[in-house]
Amino acid sequence: MQAKHLGFFRILSSLTGNTKNVLEPAIQLTRSEKWKLGSTIFLGKMIGLGLVFLAMIFLPGMLGTPAQAQTGYTAHETAMVNSINTVWTLVAAFLVFGMQAGFVMLEAGFARKRETVNVLMECILDTCLCGILFWAIGYAFMFSHGNGFIGTHWFFLSGAPDTYEATGVPILAHWIFQFAFADTCSTITSGAMIGRTSFRGDILYSIGVTGFIYPIIGHWAWGPDGFLVTMGSAGNFLPSLGQPFRDFAGSTVVHTIGGVISLAGAMVLGPRLGRVFARDGGGMPAPHNLTVAAVGGFLLWFGWYGFNPGSTLSALDAQGIGRVAANTTLAACTGGLAAMMAAYWWGATKGKFDLAFSINGFLAGLVAITCPCYWVSPLGAILLGAIAGFVVYAGAWLVEYCRIYDPVGAVAVHGFCGIWGTLSLGFFACGKYGATGPLGADNSAPVTGLLYGGGMGVLKAQFIGSAIITIGTFVVAFILMWVIRQLPDPWNLRVEAKGETGSGGIDVFEHGTEAYPHQPAVVDIPEYQPQPKEQPVFS
């Protein structure tokens, strides 16, 4: 018994290193004993690992569940994938909706200060009106099945399925994402019409744009059976072309449509009273608050990270999301630099760096990359963004030369650069990437542009789709604006002359207030007179 206890104490002292208090003189292990103990422990561990491996090999067969490669997803796994993709889509939708703050600041900053309240009210009206109309009829026209020209189901979202097509994203989540896009298009429209559009006229044309023009023409390119979506396939529009029209996130569907409607409205309205164009001895009017405009531009850039990456509708396409975000960033950077240098070399402030053109330059790069962002390489994004910077500079001066008043630059930024971005896919698609999907990318049929050996097919399809949407939008929008222009005041498209020239301008005339109320230069403040302290009274 004593020998057993001594053996225990020897082991304990060897493991703890405490040889001073545990029977120090009698428990030292010999070298042979240490080897035996170590070998026993090591052998026991190896036997245990062997038993674990044997259980992994034979136990599933004994239980009747042999291991095999997974060929599909369980209902639980599918629900998890759909939930992840839905959260991603909603986060992107919230980012896109946040662009409204950028739009109101950008437009208010570029406008005159007497037009600021009107700009803010128009953007608020457009957003609220867009939500109701897109819920009632817009989403149905644009995204439901019908024919190649218009959707014919799901009005008021009635009868819509639980999820949109094969995305797995709930229909309401898809609706909120697309509502944010529709709201963006509606807000772009007002850019070239600032300062002389009556508020009631704005209500009327906003109903036409959000409820009918944007969703119906958008159906052609984004609807499940739109004729530009199915273009190039057997039995559909231009089957010999062999290519559909592609617009990943909306260079055409959102930006070109918005920019062209804005152009039509500016042409019908005419310039504001007293505006003198450059060819007549005047020039582009100075923005009233470039600080606000610059902050608004950066808010738009931030929101674009929902606009473009979010259009995957899939959080599982990790490579696609990362590529789209990187391309978006690079195109914005080169667009801003190119427009900055164009204004430096050739602008009215030649030899100086123009802030307004720099802001519109990076916005031009963002608009241009919106269509091809999924299919181009980072180098392609850099090049097409730089070209967009020069396009927006030349476009702004073209609009000025044509005596069209566009104080924000909406036509050049969204209209011209939207067209360029759509065509750029035909040049810069790098031949590596195909389509995104709820479970990831499908690159089995990559898109290849002219500069990468793909021939003219993609470029032809992009040109045809862009031309059809641009011309169709302009014709319908011009008719709409012209009809509203014929209405009597106060429903006429243009505000009454006293609304432009009166005290406080259109802000006071339409809204009864100014963004910057007059403050007295000096305010009389009574001089501070210290009160004498009461002396303590001692009894």
Side-chain angles (χ1 to χ4, degrees):
M1 193 69 152
Q2 186 176 2
K4 290 182 180 180
H5 288 169
L6 287 174
F8 169 77
F9 286 123
R10 285 176 181 174
I11 296 172
L12 180 62
S13 65
S14 176
L15 294 176
T16 62
N18 183 1
T19 59
K20 186 174 289 186
N21 298 321
V22 187
L23 301 179
E24 183 176 358
I27 61 174
Q28 297 297 323
L29 291 176
T30 65
R31 185 174 182 179
S32 176
E33 290 174 326
K34 290 181 179 179
W35 274 101
K36 290 180 180 179
L37 178 62
S39 300
T40 302
I41 295 174
F42 179 76
L43 181 60
K45 290 184 177 181
M46 292 300 100
I47 293 173
L49 287 174
L51 292 174
V52 170
F53 281 120
L54 290 173
M56 292 172 63
I57 294 172
F58 294 107
L59 189 59
M62 295 171 63
L63 296 178
T65 56
Q68 59 183 4
Q70 185 171 346
T71 58
Y73 289 90
T74 65
H76 178 67
E77 290 169 335
T78 301
M80 290 183 64
V81 168
N82 291 345
S83 296
I84 293 170
N85 290 342
T86 300
V87 171
W88 166 244
T89 301
L90 287 175
V91 169
F94 303 152
L95 283 172
V96 177
F97 183 78
M99 293 172 72
Q100 293 304 311
F103 276 119
V104 297
M105 295 181 75
L106 181 79
E107 293 186 6
F110 274 118
R112 297 181 296 172
K113 68 177 183 180
R114 60 196 281 127
E115 300 158 357
T116 304
V117 174
N118 184 250
V119 168
L120 301 178
M121 278 297 299
E122 283 185 347
C123 290
I124 291 172
L125 166 73
D126 289 345
T127 298
C128 297
L129 198 59
C130 178
I132 300 301
L133 288 172
F134 205 67
W135 164 76
I137 58 176
Y139 187 82
F141 286 149
M142 192 166 185
F143 290 103
S144 74
H145 288 266
N147 53 55
F149 293 93
I150 190 171
T152 56
H153 301 87
W154 307 349
F155 294 101
F156 301 93
L157 298 184
S158 176
D162 292 336
T163 59
Y164 182 72
E165 297 294 307
T167 64
V169 175
I171 203 79
L172 288 176
H174 188 256
W175 175 85
I176 198 71
F177 183 72
Q178 294 300 336
F179 151 70
F181 276 55
D183 193 20
T184 298
C185 180
S186 179
T187 305
I188 291 169
T189 299
S190 65
M193 302 171 66
I194 289 173
R196 68 260 197 226
T197 305
S198 73
F199 193 70
R200 290 170 179 81
D202 183 85
I203 294 174
L204 294 180
Y205 85 70
S206 294
I207 292 173
V209 170
T210 307
F212 298 94
I213 296 178
Y214 170 76
I216 293 175
I217 296 180
H219 179 84
W220 302 352
W222 278 358
D225 49 5
F227 76 92
L228 293 178
V229 178
T230 60
M231 181 176 69
S233 58
N236 293 299
F237 182 55
L238 297 179
S240 61
L241 188 61
Q243 292 283 346
F245 175 72
R246 296 178 176 89
D247 187 6
F248 187 77
S251 286
T252 292
V253 174
V254 177
H255 296 282
T256 299
I257 289 178
V260 169
I261 295 172
S262 193
L263 173 62
M267 292 174 66
V268 171
L269 281 170
R272 65 170 170 81
L273 297 177
R275 172 72 159 89
V276 181
F277 294 92
R279 62 189 293 191
D280 302 317
M284 294 184 181
H288 97 273
N289 194 327
L290 279 172
T291 302
V292 171
V295 173
F298 275 116
L299 286 174
L300 289 173
W301 187 339
F302 179 71
W304 238 284
Y305 291 119
F307 212 99
N308 289 358
S311 292
T312 60
L313 300 180
S314 171
L316 300 188
D317 188 1
Q319 291 292 330
I321 291 171
R323 182 175 64 256
V324 169
N327 288 341
T328 299
T329 302
L330 293 171
C333 292
T334 53
L337 291 172
M340 181 192 305
M341 296 313 299
Y344 179 84
W345 290 326
W346 305 304
T349 57
K350 187 175 181 179
K352 300 183 184 299
F353 298 97
D354 190 289
L355 176 58
F357 269 117
S358 300
I359 297 169
N360 275 342
F362 70 69
L363 292 176
L366 290 165
V367 169
I369 194 62
T370 299
C371 165
C373 56
Y374 192 83
W375 297 291
V376 301
S377 66
L379 177 60
I382 288 172
L383 295 175
L384 71 88
I387 295 173
F390 290 105
V391 169
V392 75
Y393 176 80
W397 282 108
L398 176 62
V399 170
E400 176 74 9
Y401 182 81
C402 294
R403 296 191 178 100
I404 298 171
Y405 179 43
D406 180 6
V408 175
V411 176
V413 172
H414 301 280
F416 296 161
C417 291
I419 293 172
W420 158 241
T422 302
L423 297 178
S424 71
L425 177 66
F427 294 102
F428 292 102
C430 64
K432 295 181 179 179
Y433 313 112
T436 187
L439 301 176
D442 177 7
N443 297 323
S444 59
V447 182
T448 309
L450 178 63
L451 299 181
Y452 290 81
M456 295 288 291
V458 175
L459 182 59
K460 288 179 182 178
Q462 295 303 104
F463 177 82
I464 291 170
S466 178
I468 289 174
I469 289 178
T470 300
I471 295 171
T473 300
F474 181 79
V475 171
V476 175
F478 193 91
I479 293 172
L480 172 67
M481 298 295 181
W482 185 86
V483 169
I484 301 174
R485 185 73 174 90
Q486 309 311 307
L487 298 178
D489 294 325
W491 293 99
N492 192 289
L493 183 65
R494 180 153 188 156
V495 72
E496 299 172 49
K498 59 184 177 181
E500 294 186 60
T501 60
S503 176
I506 196 171
D507 284 355
V508 171
F509 181 80
E510 289 281 21
H511 311 291
T513 188
E514 296 178 87
Y516 308 97
H518 176 70
Q519 299 289 342
V522 178
V523 179
D524 293 330
I525 301 176
E527 184 179 354
Y528 174 71
Q529 298 291 342
Q531 298 296 324
K533 294 182 179 180
E534 295 184 2
Q535 297 298 323
V537 178
F538 299 97
S539 56

